[in-house]
């Protein structure tokens, strides 16, 4: 029966392989369907923009066409210092999502002509309107009621352009503006008390101007460029690059003095969306970065208020990153926004979203990753939920060093991203942002509850300048952890510029702290710091001192966010679906078990017959027919030998008899009850089939005990002593079965079958591995066992053995029943044997003596009968 | 071997005529106590117990000797906080063990239980006893799951004890922000344990199905672990997108959401749904297969 083991092993291998293959195929299909990217067609062309005086200006554009047209179109503008190529990735993503995209290089940059006017309403915005006209003429752009469906999107420089175009061109149907400004003057000369102009953001301004200058350096032949004919470089050319000369001059003046001239302020106003927001009718998405010292969250807030004032739907999102680095706007955000906007799904109050840095732990590496919070509507920069936090600290006098050096380092353009990575972690680098003698601090008690700060908190302080009529101060909101490290969220400070002070006279002022999103845990403290220097800003050159104090009764009004974690889809649906599947399956299996319970009727007429086998047939799964049409019965008190060569079907018959395998045809009744797996009648039967089976880690005794315990019957019924004596293992019963010899296991197995002295004992090849005395002993046991009225079925291929110990024989061969009957019947009638050397003569002699004599064949050994029977087949 | 006692046997047999047929009650076969004894005395059970006992100690000693691990560039991680206190240490041990060790142990308990009986040939004797097949599976599954859950509970519980000895019971520090009091962190730990138990239903079901299909314990345990690893690898292919959500291992680590200041239940809810569905399907197949199986080993 080795082949069965092989088959089982093969089958198990097949199961694993099948599941593996199924998984791989599923993965392949999924991969194939996911990775099918649509084909995008592009074409580059120059489009005429607004002339620079009399000089015509050509704009460098690329049109991206999705596979299916007509489709809504998006005009895509780039950031300062970029070209149409810097937005190619976003353009492609939008086109793949089914939008026509026109990306272009703004005037003054790349291969486009003209000067940089800083998103001026007279130039850049008009250029964009020209491009909208051009787009509207394309057949690939979808029209609804004759109106082309065109939206505009951009980041930073492109974002302001998007807003200003939407405010001046009614053909725009949707807007997405990322990390951009509302009022360029307020962004470059910010003031924490709201009075613009405040402190000059000199480092950022310088970097941006530099970016504009670099557009001029190599000037080979620029197609369409207005200034390409300038062969020898003029000094103004080097100093101003492609900046508009007027703008350039005003900037240079402001950079020198640190204060903007009215002319510059007027020019900056023409470059600010603030002036046209009220005219925007297209739904607008405003995304602003939390790590942005150039255009902080307040700029988006002003834009949102301006647009919402006229009832236009506006959606605000505070994303991670910004001009200080750390991530860009996800293309998917744009795709879903324009999808909603063009489908007319954006109306009414829009939800507000906040991306929270490091809010959850990644399940992949155990580190912190961001999460998105949703609030039902935009609460504004100052927030709707305030928590009043008491601050403590005496009035402190701080000094501003001459020349503004050394200066505190907080968010610095270009290296801000690097600082942010560390500053947020250890607080060591942020020590640079607090220089001794330059900082006053007001600290709260440890918070009892955690809080998510979101927006601009405010506090009222009193500033006394001692030797000047103006004051330049930098305010920060710091989180001091229970361990003592102070962190400046996003490295942002709010500059405060006060003028018209009287030296020595205290001036109260309400200041707005930088707008940040940060999680403050219970046990941490909050601190408001007031510093005299910051590297990024224009600082007064003369040394001065100020005294800073909290206004009497002033508390920190903390802007908080109470959002829910943005969920993708419905998590409960998963649980409900999973639970329903589980319930349905359990119910189904339970029902199936009930239905499948075989309707086999007991046969009361056989109630006293130990075994009745009727027309038994068994074909294994591989088609091997092990037993075919076997019928026989076993009566009480018999010792029946099941005889046959290997492969005759003996073991299969016995397996069916104890319910291990299900017959393909016929039936088996034990004491009148049909045998099915787990039939109760099997309790009246003890079996030893195909060798012993024990738990190798237990002793022989424990094995027998646990085996009996598993039957659930009382221990007293087991008759363990008898079984142990039959096993005859002596002290070895206390050793682990692992250490037993084959014969010992065999004897223990027979003893196990005899536990409880069952009425029907089935032994399959019991004498395997036993020595002759043990075989003789076993024979005796079987005989006396049957003598008590019990019944024994023994299978064997050893013929002599069956002959000696059995009363009846069932002979099988190749799965068929060959003969059945008592040993005597099978082996021939009983008679005396008289051995003579000449039978013929002996008969004559006997006849002469008056003794009747017949010549009969001698009783044959069972072996001969068996061989005859087998050969007859 | 001589058999001096055999005569006694014959005498005893002679005076023991068959009496009334025994009263057989299927509901009392293979009671849990019996099955527990059968399993608990096994070397592999004791080995698994030893691993659970030794692992936290080894890790604690390693941290003590090697010093506190430093945060990596990706930010503060569970490992860099492992030595803050008992709670953090426990969270880290859990994080390190869930991916593979607990999977292997659950697969061991559930995959080996029927297959090893088949390989020892003792399965056919239990069935001939007779222990009804559905009951055999039920009792085996109850014991295997009990051992699995006991392991899942014991590892963090023991880690907490070891961590307290080595690192004290400082408040747990979240990698995200802030601290949790010792009581709070015990609550979070409870959530984690319950969720890991639910998730283990998947590998338990898989191992159990293989256990009734295969006559070789190594094949059942190894097969379950192998399929789990394959699922994990497929889960790494981000190109599969949301299709990965349906992988049995995708929400394996969703319990880390319970460590954030604000517990996010979403993925744990999803993971529970997935685990219930997978567990039910696999166990149902196991039951149906075993019920109609020809036991030939």
């Amino acid at each position: 029966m080795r082949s069965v083991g092989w088959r089982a092993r093969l089958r198990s291998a097949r199961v694993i392989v099948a599941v593996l293959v199924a998984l791989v195929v599923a993965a392949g299909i999924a991969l194939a369907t996911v990775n099918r990217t649509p084909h995008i067609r592009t074409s580059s062309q120059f489009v005429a923009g607004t002339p620079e005086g009399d000089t015509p200006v050509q704009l460098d554009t690329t049109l991206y066409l999705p596979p299916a047209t007509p489709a809504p179109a998006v005009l895509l503008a780039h950031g300062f210092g970029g070209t149409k190529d810097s937005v190619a990735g976003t353009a492609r993503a939008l086109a793949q999502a089914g939008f026509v995209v026109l990306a272009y290089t703004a005037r003054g940059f790349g291969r486009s002509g003209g000067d940089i006017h800083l998103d001026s309403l007279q130039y850049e915005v008009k250029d964009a309107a020209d491009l909208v006209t051009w787009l509207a003429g394309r057949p690939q752009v979808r029209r609804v009621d004759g109106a082309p469906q065109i939206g505009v999107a951009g980041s930073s420089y492109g974002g302001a352009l998007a807003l200003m175009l939407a405010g001046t061109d009614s053909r725009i149907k949707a807007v997405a503006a990322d990390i951009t400004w509302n009022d360029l003057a307020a962004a470059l000369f910010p003031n924490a008390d709201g009075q613009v102009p405040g402190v000059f953001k000199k480092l950022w301004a310088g970097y941006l101007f530099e970016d504009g200058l670099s557009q001029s350096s190599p000037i080979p032949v620029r197609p369409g460029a207005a200034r390409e004919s300038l062969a020898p470089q003029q000094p103004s050319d080097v100093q101003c690059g492609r900046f508009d000369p007027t703008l350039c001059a005003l900037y240079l003046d402001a950079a020198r003095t640190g204060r903007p001239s009215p002319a510059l302020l007027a020019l900056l106003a023409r470059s600010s969306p603030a002036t046209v927001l009220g005219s925007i009718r297209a739904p607008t998405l405003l995304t602003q970065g939390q790590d942005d010292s150039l255009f902080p969250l307040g700029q988006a807030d002003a834009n949102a208020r301006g647009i919402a004032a006229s009832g236009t739907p506006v959606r605000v999102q505070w994303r991670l990153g910004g001009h200080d680095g750390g991530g860009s706007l996800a293309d998917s955000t744009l795709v879903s926004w324009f999808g909603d906007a063009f489908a007319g799904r954006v109306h009414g109050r829009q939800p507000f979203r906040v991306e929270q840095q490091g809010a959850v732990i990644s399940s992949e590496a155990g580190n912190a990753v961001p999460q998105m919070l949703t609030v039902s509507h935009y609460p504004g920069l100052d927030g709707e939920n305030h928590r009043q936090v008491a601050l403590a600290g005496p009035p402190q006098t701080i000094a501003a060093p001459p020349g503004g050096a050394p200066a505190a380092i907080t968010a610095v353009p270009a290296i801000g991203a690097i600082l942010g990575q560390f500053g947020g972690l250890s607080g060591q680098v942020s020590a640079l942002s607090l220089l001794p003698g330059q900082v006053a601090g007001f600290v709260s008690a440890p918070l009892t509850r955690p809080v998510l700060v979101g927006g601009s908190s405010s506090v009222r302080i009193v500033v006394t300048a001692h030797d000047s009529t103006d004051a330049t101060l930098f305010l920060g909101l710091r989180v001091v952890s229970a361990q003592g490290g102070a962190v400046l969220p996003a490295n942002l400070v709010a500059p405060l510029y006060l003028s018209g002070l009287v030296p020595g006279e205290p001036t109260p002022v309400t200041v707005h702290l930088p707008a940040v999103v940060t999680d403050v845990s219970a046990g941490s403290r909050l601190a408001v710091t007031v510093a005299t220097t910051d590297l990024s800003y224009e600082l007064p050159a003369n040394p001065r001192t100020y005294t800073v104090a909290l206004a009497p009764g002033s508390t920190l009004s903390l802007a908080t966010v109470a959002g829910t974690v943005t969920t993708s889809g419905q998590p409960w649906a998963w649980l409900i679906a999973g639970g329903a599947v589980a319930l349905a399956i359990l119910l189904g299996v339970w029902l199936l078990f009930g239905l499948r319970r075989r309707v086999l009727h007991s046969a009361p007429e056989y109630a006293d017959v130990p075994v009745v086998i009727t027309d038994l047939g068994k074909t294994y799964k591989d088609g091997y027919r092990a037993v075919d049409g076997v019928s026989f019965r076993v009566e009480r008190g018999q010792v029946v030998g099941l005889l046959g060569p290997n492969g005759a079907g003996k073991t299969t018959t016995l397996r069916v008899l104890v319910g291990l395998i299900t017959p393909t045809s016929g039936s088996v009744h034990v004491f009148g009850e049909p045998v099915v797996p787990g039939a109760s009648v099997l309790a009246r039967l003890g079996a030893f089939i195909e060798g012993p089976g024990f738990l190798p880690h237990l002793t022989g005794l424990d094995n027998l005990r646990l085996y009996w315990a598993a039957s659930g019957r009382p221990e007293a019924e087991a008759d363990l002593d008898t079984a142990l004596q039959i096993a005859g293992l002596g002290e070895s019963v206390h050793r682990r079965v692992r250490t037993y010899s084959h014969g010992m296991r065999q004897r223990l197995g027979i003893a196990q079958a005899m536990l409880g002295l069952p009425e029907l004992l089935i032994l399959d090849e019991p004498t395997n591995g036993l020595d002759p005395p043990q075989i003789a002993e076993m024979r005796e046991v079987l005989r006396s066992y049957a003598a008590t009225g019990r019944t024994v079925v023994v299978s064997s291929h050893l013929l002599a053995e069956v002959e000696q110990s059995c009363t009846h024989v069932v002979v099988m061969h190749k799965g068929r029943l060959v003969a059945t009957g008592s040993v005597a019947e099978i082996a021939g009638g009983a008679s005396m044997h008289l051995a003579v050397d000449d039978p013929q003569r002996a008969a004559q002699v006997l006849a002469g003596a008056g003794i009747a004599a017949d010549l009969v064949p001698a009783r044959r050994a069972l072996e001969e009968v068996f061989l005859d029977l087998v050969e007859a087949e | 071997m001589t058999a001096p006692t055999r005569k006694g046997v014959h005498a005893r047999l002679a005076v023991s005529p068959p009496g009334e047929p025994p009263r057989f009650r299927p509901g009392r076969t293979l009671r849990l106590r019996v099955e527990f004894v059968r399993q608990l005395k096994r070397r592999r059970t004791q080995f698994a117990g030893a691993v659970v006992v030794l692992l936290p100690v080894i890790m604690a000693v390693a941290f003590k000797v090697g010093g506190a691990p430093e945060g990596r560039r990706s930010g503060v991680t569970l490992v860099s906080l492992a030595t803050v206190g008992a709670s953090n240490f426990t969270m880290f041990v859990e994080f390190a063990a869930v991916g593979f060790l607990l999977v292997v142990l659950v697969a061991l308990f559930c995959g080996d239980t029927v297959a090893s009986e088949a390989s020892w040939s003792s399965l056919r004797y239990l069935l001939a006893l007779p222990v009804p097949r559905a009951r055999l599976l039920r009792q085996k599954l109850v014991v295997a799951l009990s051992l699995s859950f006991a392991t899942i509970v014991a590892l963090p519980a023991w880690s907490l004890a070891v961590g307290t000895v080595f690192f004290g019971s400082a408040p747990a520090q979240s990698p995200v922000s802030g601290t949790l009091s010792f009581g709070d962190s015990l609550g979070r730990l409870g959530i984690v344990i319950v969720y890991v138990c639910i998730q283990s239903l998947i590998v338990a079901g898989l191992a159990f199905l293989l256990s009734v299909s295969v006559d070789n314990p190594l094949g059942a345990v190894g097969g379950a672990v192998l399929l789990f690893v394959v699922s994990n690898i497929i889960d790494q292919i981000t190109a599969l997108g949301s299709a990965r959500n349906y992988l049995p291992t995708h929400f394996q680590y969703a319990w880390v959401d319970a460590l954030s200041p604000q517990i996010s239940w979403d993925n744990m809810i999803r993971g529970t749904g997935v685990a219930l569905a997978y567990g039910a399907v696999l166990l149902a197949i196991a039951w149906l297969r075993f019920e109609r199986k020809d036991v030939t080993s």
Side-chain angles (χ1 to χ4, degrees):
Chain A
M1 282 297 153
R2 287 261 171 266
S3 59
V4 175
W6 267 111
R7 248 177 274 140
R9 235 164 286 162
L10 277 177
R11 202 164 54 230
S12 65
R14 242 179 283 149
V15 171
I16 294 174
V17 168
V19 178
L20 270 180
V21 168
L23 273 174
V24 170
V25 169
I29 291 172
L31 207 62
T33 50
V34 167
N35 267 1
R36 210 184 305 128
T37 48
H39 181 67
I40 307 298
R41 283 168 296 142
T42 61
S43 63
S44 291
Q45 56 274 309
F46 281 92
V47 177
T50 306
E52 194 84 54
D54 296 331
T55 321
V57 168
Q58 297 287 324
L59 299 169
D60 186 12
T61 67
T62 299
L63 184 68
Y64 296 79
L65 292 173
T69 54
V74 175
L75 181 66
L76 197 56
H78 61 79
F80 199 77
T83 65
K84 63 174 187 177
D85 295 331
S86 37
V87 293
T90 304
R92 221 160 252 288
L94 281 168
Q96 272 164 15
F99 296 101
V100 174
V101 179
L102 182 65
Y104 74 103
T105 304
R107 66 164 53 214
F109 294 99
R111 282 150 48 95
S112 288
D115 294 338
I116 301 169
H117 295 268
L118 278 188
D119 281 347
S120 166
L121 285 167
Q122 280 96 36
Y123 293 98
E124 277 89 351
V125 179
K126 279 190 174 156
D127 285 346
D130 292 339
L131 292 173
V132 170
T133 306
W134 185 85
L135 255 181
R138 298 301 105 191
Q140 293 93 345
V141 176
R142 176 183 295 165
R143 290 172 171 272
V144 175
D145 301 331
Q149 300 293 295
I150 299 176
V152 60
S155 274
S156 191
Y157 192 63
L161 178 112
L163 290 172
M164 292 164 80
L165 177 64
T168 52
D169 193 326
S170 60
R171 292 172 296 176
I172 296 299
K173 299 285 183 271
V175 189
D178 181 42
I179 53 170
T180 193
W181 66 87
N182 166 258
D183 179 350
L184 209 44
L188 293 178
F189 299 90
N191 198 348
D193 72 350
Q195 304 294 315
V196 173
V199 187
F200 181 41
K201 210 179 269 178
K202 65 169 181 186
L203 221 51
W204 261 122
Y207 270 106
L208 288 178
F209 192 70
E210 197 61 34
D211 253 352
L213 288 187
S214 67
Q215 295 300 318
S216 69
S217 12
I219 322 179
V221 180
R222 273 199 311 276
R227 291 167 160 264
E228 66 195 33
S229 52
L230 287 175
Q233 286 200 340
Q234 305 288 324
S236 72
D237 209 28
V238 177
Q239 196 160 43
C240 291
R242 292 179 71 181
F243 276 104
D244 169 61
T246 319
L247 171 69
C248 180
L250 289 171
Y251 168 76
L252 292 177
D253 180 51
R256 190 171 49 78
T257 62
R259 307 298 304 167
S261 60
L264 180 61
L265 289 176
L267 188 142
L268 291 180
R270 282 198 300 278
S271 292
S272 295
T275 50
V276 296
L277 290 177
S279 318
I280 295 180
R281 294 290 172 271
T284 305
L285 172 70
L286 296 171
T287 51
Q288 202 77 353
Q290 298 169 25
D291 292 302
D292 203 324
S293 53
L294 178 59
F295 303 131
L297 297 176
Q299 293 293 316
D301 180 66
N303 280 334
R305 279 185 282 118
I307 298 168
S310 60
T312 305
V314 54
R315 188 183 292 178
V316 180
Q317 180 176 328
W318 291 349
R319 70 169 176 87
L320 296 180
H323 283 95
D324 294 347
S328 54
L329 182 64
D331 293 336
S332 60
T333 309
L334 280 183
V335 167
S336 71
W337 166 255
F338 281 113
D340 286 352
F342 283 123
R345 288 195 291 264
V346 181
H347 30 68
R349 270 220 300 211
Q350 293 297 305
F352 165 57
R353 291 191 166 176
V354 182
E355 212 172 339
Q356 194 188 349
Q357 178 70 277
V360 288
I361 306 162
S362 154
S363 56
E364 314 217 326
N367 60 336
V369 291
Q371 82 180 353
M372 188 76 87
L373 295 176
T374 303
V375 184
S376 61
H377 64 279
Y378 179 58
L381 189 70
D382 298 338
E384 290 174 342
N385 308 312
H386 295 269
R387 197 197 284 188
Q388 302 301 323
V389 178
L391 295 175
Q396 292 153 56
T397 300
I398 50 178
I409 301 170
T410 55
V412 178
I415 64 164
I418 306 164
L419 285 177
Q421 265 186 10
F422 293 103
L425 293 182
S426 55
Q428 287 171 352
V429 174
S430 62
L432 289 176
S433 66
L434 289 171
L435 297 179
Q438 296 186 4
V439 185
F442 307 98
V443 187
S444 76
L447 298 186
T448 50
R449 287 175 296 141
V451 64
L452 180 58
V453 175
S456 175
S457 308
S458 59
V459 67
R460 192 163 174 80
I461 58 171
V462 179
V463 177
T464 312
H466 294 294
D467 31 34
S468 58
T469 57
D470 65 335
T472 300
L473 295 168
F474 300 91
L475 298 135
L477 177 67
R478 287 178 155 82
V479 180
V480 185
S481 70
Q483 284 79 27
V487 171
L488 182 64
N491 283 314
L492 289 181
V493 291
L496 172 68
Y497 179 73
L498 299 171
S499 56
L501 302 177
V502 179
E505 190 175 298
T507 306
V509 58
T510 299
V511 289
H512 294 274
L513 300 172
V516 292
V517 176
T518 189
D519 194 42
V520 184
S521 59
S524 297
R525 299 161 186 267
L526 289 169
V528 171
T529 53
V530 183
T532 54
T533 59
D534 194 282
L535 188 64
S536 301
Y537 292 86
E538 178 75 24
L539 300 171
N542 52 330
R544 39 182 72 192
T545 53
Y546 312 104
T547 298
V548 183
L550 286 170
S554 170
T555 54
L556 172 64
S557 179
L558 202 59
T560 64
V561 180
T564 50
V565 177
T566 306
T567 54
S568 44
Q570 293 289 323
W572 287 105
W574 287 65
L575 183 59
I576 293 167
V581 166
L583 267 182
I585 285 174
L586 294 184
L587 201 68
V589 169
W590 184 71
L591 280 177
L592 207 63
F593 268 56
L595 291 176
R596 268 162 50 94
R597 241 178 250 304
R598 221 179 263 236
V599 192
L600 285 178
H601 298 290
S602 54
E605 66 271 26
Y606 297 147
D608 211 33
V609 186
V611 180
V612 178
I613 291 178
T614 314
D615 198 27
L616 184 70
K618 174 65 190 178
T619 308
Y620 284 106
K621 268 189 193 144
D622 56 0
Y624 174 66
R625 190 148 182 80
V627 176
D628 193 3
V630 169
S631 300
F632 64 89
R633 52 192 281 167
V634 177
E635 304 290 346
R636 266 187 199 282
Q638 290 183 344
V639 178
V640 176
L642 196 54
L643 194 59
N646 287 334
K650 306 185 298 289
T651 301
T652 298
T653 307
L654 295 184
R655 279 183 188 154
V656 175
L657 190 55
V658 295
L660 288 179
I661 61 180
T662 316
T664 32
S665 64
S667 65
V668 177
H669 285 84
V670 171
F671 296 111
E673 298 292 330
V675 171
V676 290
S680 294
V681 74
L682 293 175
R684 298 171 70 178
L685 172 158
F688 174 79
I689 294 180
E690 271 194 290
F694 293 108
L695 278 58
H697 54 281
L698 297 178
T699 65
L701 186 61
D702 282 347
N703 259 297
L704 293 190
R705 283 215 175 109
L706 279 174
Y707 182 72
W708 187 255
S711 77
R713 290 162 59 188
E715 214 173 317
E717 286 180 21
D719 221 339
L720 195 61
D721 286 347
T722 311
L724 284 176
Q725 283 178 23
I726 288 166
L729 292 173
E731 283 304 304
S732 297
V733 290
H734 299 297
R735 282 166 48 204
R736 287 168 189 256
V737 168
R738 194 193 303 285
T739 63
Y740 284 15
S741 70
H742 182 62
M744 287 162 83
R745 289 182 200 195
Q746 186 85 1
R747 295 206 302 279
L748 193 64
I750 294 166
Q752 177 177 282
M754 292 175 76
L755 278 177
L757 300 178
E759 291 167 77
L760 173 60
L761 183 63
I762 291 167
L763 302 176
D764 185 18
E765 310 273 5
T767 53
N768 268 0
L770 301 191
D771 53 27
Q774 288 167 346
I775 292 175
E777 189 57 40
M778 187 56 59
R779 216 177 279 145
E780 274 308 302
V781 170
L782 296 188
R783 201 169 291 149
S784 50
Y785 198 79
T788 61
R790 294 179 175 86
T791 312
V792 182
V793 176
V794 183
S795 86
S796 183
H797 62 276
L798 294 175
L799 309 167
E801 150 112 17
V802 169
E803 191 170 11
Q804 287 176 45
S805 49
C806 297
T807 59
H808 291 74
V809 184
V810 174
V811 185
M812 291 181 71
H813 183 56
K814 288 186 179 168
R816 292 180 171 280
L817 190 71
V818 178
T820 171
S822 71
V823 171
E825 281 166 24
I826 296 289
S831 57
M832 291 299 172
H833 287 228
L834 177 65
V836 294
D837 61 350
D838 186 348
Q840 299 297 334
R841 203 165 153 260
Q844 288 168 7
V845 169
L846 286 173
I851 297 170
D854 275 334
L855 268 181
V856 294
R859 174 181 170 173
R860 301 168 299 166
L862 194 53
E863 187 163 350
E864 296 168 47
V865 180
F866 177 72
L867 290 175
D868 283 351
L869 289 168
V870 168
E871 274 160 18
E873 280 292 298
Chain B
M1 163 169 294
T2 57
T5 60
R6 295 301 168 83
K7 297 306 168 207
V9 171
H10 298 311
R12 196 190 302 244
L13 284 175
V15 298
S16 310
E20 285 291 299
R23 281 183 57 221
F24 175 72
R25 282 175 290 185
R28 291 179 62 82
T29 55
L30 195 64
R31 274 163 298 174
L32 292 179
R33 189 184 57 80
V34 175
E35 177 61 11
F36 266 116
V37 173
R38 290 160 58 90
Q39 298 297 332
L40 285 178
K41 290 199 171 178
R42 296 188 52 188
R43 276 285 157 77
R44 61 110 161 118
T45 315
Q46 294 155 1
F47 176 74
V51 168
V52 169
V53 168
L54 288 179
L55 181 74
V57 178
I58 293 172
M59 287 170 89
V61 170
F63 280 136
K64 213 52 174 179
V65 172
E70 305 219 336
R72 283 174 296 172
R73 270 186 54 222
S74 53
V76 183
T77 56
L78 279 173
V79 64
S80 60
L81 293 174
T83 56
V84 167
S87 309
N88 274 100
F89 177 71
T90 306
M91 298 296 182
F92 174 66
V93 172
E94 192 75 0
F95 192 81
V98 160
F100 199 70
L101 177 68
L102 289 182
V103 168
V104 170
L105 290 181
V106 171
L108 178 67
F109 288 131
C110 297
D112 157 291
T113 182
V114 179
S116 63
E117 300 272 0
S119 76
W120 298 326
S121 305
S122 51
L123 180 62
R124 61 169 173 264
Y125 290 105
L126 284 177
L127 294 177
L129 201 49
V131 180
R133 291 190 178 189
R135 179 170 172 84
L136 180 103
L137 286 195
R138 198 185 85 183
Q139 302 297 86
K140 288 246 167 221
L141 184 66
V142 168
V143 170
L145 282 183
S146 302
L147 290 176
S148 305
F149 292 169
T151 310
I152 293 171
V153 174
L155 184 67
W158 175 239
S159 300
L160 203 61
V162 171
T164 309
V165 170
F166 277 82
F167 309 112
S169 56
Q173 212 170 314
S174 165
V176 175
S177 72
T179 54
L180 293 170
S181 72
F182 193 72
D184 269 348
S185 58
L186 279 187
R188 301 295 178 90
L189 207 54
I191 296 171
V192 169
I193 289 172
V194 169
Y195 183 75
V196 172
C197 283
I198 292 173
Q199 275 291 302
S200 72
L201 286 178
I202 298 174
V203 74
L206 187 59
F208 204 68
L209 170 58
L210 287 175
S211 191
V212 302
S213 311
V214 177
D215 293 339
N216 175 351
L218 191 67
V221 178
V225 173
L226 176 72
L227 290 175
F228 219 70
V229 169
V230 168
S231 167
N232 257 325
I233 291 171
I234 295 177
D235 202 14
Q236 308 280 317
I237 309 172
T238 44
L240 291 175
S242 60
R244 296 183 302 155
N245 286 348
Y246 302 97
L247 285 172
T249 53
H250 187 73
F251 293 106
Q252 197 187 358
Y253 278 102
W255 56 266
V256 296
D257 291 349
L259 308 187
S260 307
Q262 212 182 345
I263 302 181
S264 153
W265 295 97
D266 290 16
N267 280 342
M268 284 193 273
I269 291 171
R270 291 194 182 97
T272 304
V274 168
L276 285 179
Y278 269 104
V281 168
L282 293 168
L283 289 178
I285 299 173
W287 246 257
L288 293 177
R289 270 188 81 93
F290 193 65
E291 190 67 10
R292 63 180 64 182
K293 186 185 183 187
D294 281 345
V295 177
T296 50
S297 58

